[in-house]
Amino acid sequence: MIQPRNRGIAQSRPWSRRAWLRVAGLGSLTGGVAAAQGAVGGQVAPALATMPDHRGSAMGPVGRVSTDSFDPTRFLRAWNFSDLPSDERARVYRETPRADGTMLREYELFAVDRDIEIAPGVFFQAWTYNGQVPGPTIRATAGDHLRINFTNQGSHPHTLHFHGWHEPAMDGSLPAHQVLPGESFLYEFDADPFGVHLYHCHANPLKRHVHKGLYGAFIIDPPATSARPPADELVMVLNAFDTNFDAENEVYAANTVASFYVQEPIRVQVGQLVRMYVVNLTEFDLINSMHLHGMFFDVFRTGTSMTASESTDTIMLCQGERAILETTFRYPGDFMFHAHQSEFAELGWMGLFRAEAPSAG
Amino acid sequence: MRATERAGRRHGTRGAVAAVLVAAVGLLCVVLLLPLTASTTDSAREITLVIRNMAFYLEGGTEPNPTIRVRAGEEVRFTVLNRDPGFAHNFVVDAWDLETPFIETEASTTVVVRAPARPGRGEYVCTPHGKMMRGVIEVVGGD
Ligand SMILES: [Cu+2]
Ligand SMILES: [Cu+2]
């Protein structure tokens, strides 16, 4: 219905992953780090000059994705539509304090079909919540009451299926729960338990509805009396895209855009606690993972405990599994993070943290 | 910018749409159109709608899906510009039997139509997004 702007990729003609890689211009890792660092420092790394044959194998894609409709950097630190100007935010989110100190949080979520750019020049005919993949991050405090008015403006039946405690009528999973195109449904439940959760469409066929982009992160903070320590908080949804409908993914990412954080490293401060809310929503592949270079992090599985269960540098997550990761950067500089399945990393699930020393002033 | 007629897809047949002109924006097309519309442009009311974030706005306006007012029987030239990346939208006024083709991102469509002779209220919508992209179009008495 909507014509993809880049017709070369989304055709029915079978593409091997390698052929796809060539077209999309995704390169391998070697040389790319040097190139990235060289560019930052304003000088070309000497190794590159003597290895001209490797110059083309830059890390990440050639070119840039437009951030007009979705900016992965803003997405990292946005929840409850905090990335919108106040007048636009008021159209989709309201909070009302309640007598017992908790909050009533009201949301307007809608499903809509949209062409999104997942790698430079590669457009994916997505099904989205509120026009973006991942959908907007929903965040509440344990005990809050959530009211989510869901409108289906898409071309297929959809639902909202939240993880967490709720009544069966609010589950958005059975055939009777389907919200048909042009219809609405009001989901209502309390925020319970605290942790990092998710929401997604549960209409059939489930794998198609999930993989098309209908998912997002759902964070429930512990009650204020036992809040987590202050930190620089980041939302990372691990996802992937099947661009040729062969039930295999061709593009992988943290937060949709292949290798975005290679080109735009995530800025963090040395010595400041960094808290990552990581949710795996990759379809078709059994597992996904996240590996962070040069350090270890504490793992809070599902975020339902205040005590870390392990300290590691690589975490494995099946679909729907999630965790809070906490670390504090010791050294300034660039630190790679990526799936420890190398194939995923080379197909876009790769990024950099750029740690900066606190300014002396 | 591209011509929208090629990419457009009509939903059903709505019979004769009064004096509908579909045009691409761009100097060439403006030049082409001038002779066709010269006899009607003098008095036509110009209304430019810009679509962004799944809503219609009057050009320069901040109110989503604002009420549009026109005079009974006057000629109206609607220009609908789609500034919504990744979406195709259209502009439909059932009461006027008016329907544009689908407008791709950064494309626009122009239609010239005569408002109904009698005052009244109708609705304008975008067909696939009618729950969110919907507003009132009002015909007020002429003088
Ligand atoms: Cu769905
Ligand atoms: Cu529309």
Side-chain angles (χ1 to χ4, degrees):
Chain A
M1 191 156 63
I2 298 171
Q3 300 299 315
R5 258 139 274 159
N6 185 335
R7 308 233 23 175
I9 302 304
Q11 298 303 295
S12 55
R13 188 176 146 202
W15 285 79
S16 71
R17 288 191 183 195
R18 190 149 296 279
W20 194 93
L21 205 106
R22 281 197 300 271
V23 169
L26 295 166
S28 68
L29 323 181
T30 9
V33 182
Q37 286 169 344
V40 166
Q43 50 187 288
V44 176
L48 270 184
T50 57
M51 295 169 66
D53 291 343
H54 286 239
R55 208 177 277 250
S57 60
M59 182 170 72
V62 176
R64 293 290 177 113
V65 162
S66 164
T67 52
D68 286 354
S69 57
F70 179 73
D71 181 345
T73 296
R74 266 199 306 181
F75 177 84
L76 283 170
R77 297 178 175 92
W79 34 81
N80 295 341
F81 300 97
S82 57
D83 53 332
L84 294 183
S86 57
D87 56 329
E88 281 181 41
R89 189 185 190 206
R91 290 174 64 196
V92 286
Y93 178 65
R94 274 184 310 280
E95 46 188 55
T96 313
R98 301 198 295 175
D100 63 358
T102 63
M103 198 75 88
L104 167 66
R105 298 179 192 270
E106 294 172 285
Y107 300 85
E108 292 288 337
L109 291 188
F110 56 92
V112 67
D113 301 359
R114 188 176 207 176
D115 289 7
I116 61 167
E117 198 176 5
I118 56 173
V122 180
F123 288 83
F124 180 76
Q125 294 176 310
W127 298 345
T128 74
Y129 289 122
N130 291 43
Q132 64 178 68
V133 178
T137 297
I138 305 296
R139 187 165 190 173
T141 301
D144 286 353
H145 190 68
L146 276 74
R147 210 175 267 165
I148 297 150
N149 184 41
F150 173 61
T151 301
N152 185 356
Q153 289 281 253
S155 54
H156 295 70
H158 296 303
T159 69
L160 274 177
H161 167 70
F162 277 82
H163 287 219
W165 288 98
H166 51 246
E167 294 170 28
M170 296 296 145
D171 199 49
S173 55
L174 295 170
H177 296 162
Q178 293 198 4
V179 181
L180 300 177
E183 295 187 352
S184 297
F185 186 81
L186 186 66
Y187 295 90
E188 215 170 332
F189 48 86
D190 291 326
D192 185 26
F194 73 77
V196 53
H197 309 307
L198 60 150
Y199 66 93
H200 57 90
C201 177
H202 216 301
N204 283 329
L206 184 56
K207 69 179 177 189
R208 196 44 78 187
H209 284 248
V210 169
H211 138 269
K212 284 286 251 177
L214 290 167
Y215 47 76
F218 174 35
I219 299 169
I220 302 180
D221 291 311
T225 47
S226 54
R228 295 182 191 283
D232 183 6
E233 299 190 307
L234 309 166
V235 178
M236 288 191 207
V237 176
L238 314 187
N239 53 357
F241 300 92
D242 170 15
T243 58
N244 56 0
F245 308 105
D246 62 351
E248 266 195 67
N249 295 309
E250 286 76 43
V251 176
Y252 292 80
N255 298 338
T256 298
V257 181
S259 302
F260 183 87
Y261 302 119
V262 173
Q263 296 175 326
E264 291 286 333
I266 301 173
R267 309 277 176 149
V268 293
Q269 293 288 316
V270 170
Q272 185 183 15
L273 180 63
V274 173
R275 179 176 298 127
M276 292 160 264
Y277 295 90
V278 181
V279 182
N280 177 25
L281 274 150
T282 309
E283 192 57 74
F284 306 126
D285 293 289
L286 294 180
I287 57 160
N288 204 330
S289 61
M290 176 160 164
H291 168 52
L292 184 47
H293 286 213
M295 68 194 75
F296 269 59
F297 48 74
D298 291 335
V299 180
F300 303 76
R301 289 217 169 247
T302 319
T304 43
S305 168
M306 302 299 277
T307 312
S309 61
E310 62 183 301
S311 173
T312 182
D313 63 4
T314 305
I315 182 180
M316 181 176 85
L317 301 166
C318 78
Q319 193 195 71
E321 208 174 356
R322 63 275 187 192
I324 294 176
L325 312 181
E326 286 187 356
T327 192
T328 304
F329 286 71
R330 280 189 200 169
Y331 309 108
D334 285 358
F335 296 88
M336 217 185 237
F337 67 101
H338 57 87
H340 218 299
Q341 288 105 314
S342 315
E343 183 192 21
F344 294 7
E346 291 192 328
L347 289 167
W349 178 180
M350 156 76 65
L352 293 173
F353 279 99
R354 180 157 298 159
E356 284 151 349
S359 52
Chain B
M1 296 204 185
R2 289 164 289 177
T4 55
E5 190 143 45
R6 176 180 51 81
R9 190 175 63 101
R10 278 182 186 268
H11 261 7
T13 51
R14 280 171 190 265
V17 174
V20 177
L21 294 172
V22 181
V25 173
L27 188 62
L28 179 66
C29 295
V30 170
V31 170
L32 286 174
L33 269 177
L34 274 175
L36 297 175
T37 57
S39 57
T40 57
T41 34
D42 295 339
S43 58
R45 176 191 292 266
E46 302 276 348
I47 296 178
T48 299
L49 292 168
V50 179
I51 300 171
R52 53 188 160 86
N53 298 330
M54 293 278 290
F56 293 98
Y57 292 85
L58 286 168
E59 193 177 31
T62 54
E63 186 193 344
N65 304 318
T67 295
I68 300 172
R69 282 190 191 81
V70 298
R71 286 186 192 287
E74 81 177 329
E75 200 163 58
V76 185
R77 178 200 296 267
F78 288 105
T79 300
V80 188
L81 171 62
N82 181 3
R83 279 275 154 81
D84 230 355
F87 291 119
H89 298 291
N90 69 355
F91 174 70
V92 175
V93 185
D94 267 338
W96 296 24
D97 206 16
L98 166 65
E99 178 175 2
T100 72
F102 279 87
I103 309 158
E104 300 270 351
T105 303
E106 294 305 320
S108 73
T109 275
T110 300
V111 294
V112 181
V113 64
R114 192 165 292 282
R118 291 200 296 186
R121 280 161 73 92
E123 273 191 318
Y124 64 88
V125 298
C126 163
T127 316
H129 310 122
K131 269 214 138 177
M132 302 172 69
M133 300 178 64
R134 174 180 292 273
V136 170
I137 187 159
E138 213 170 57
V139 180
V140 297
D143 44 17

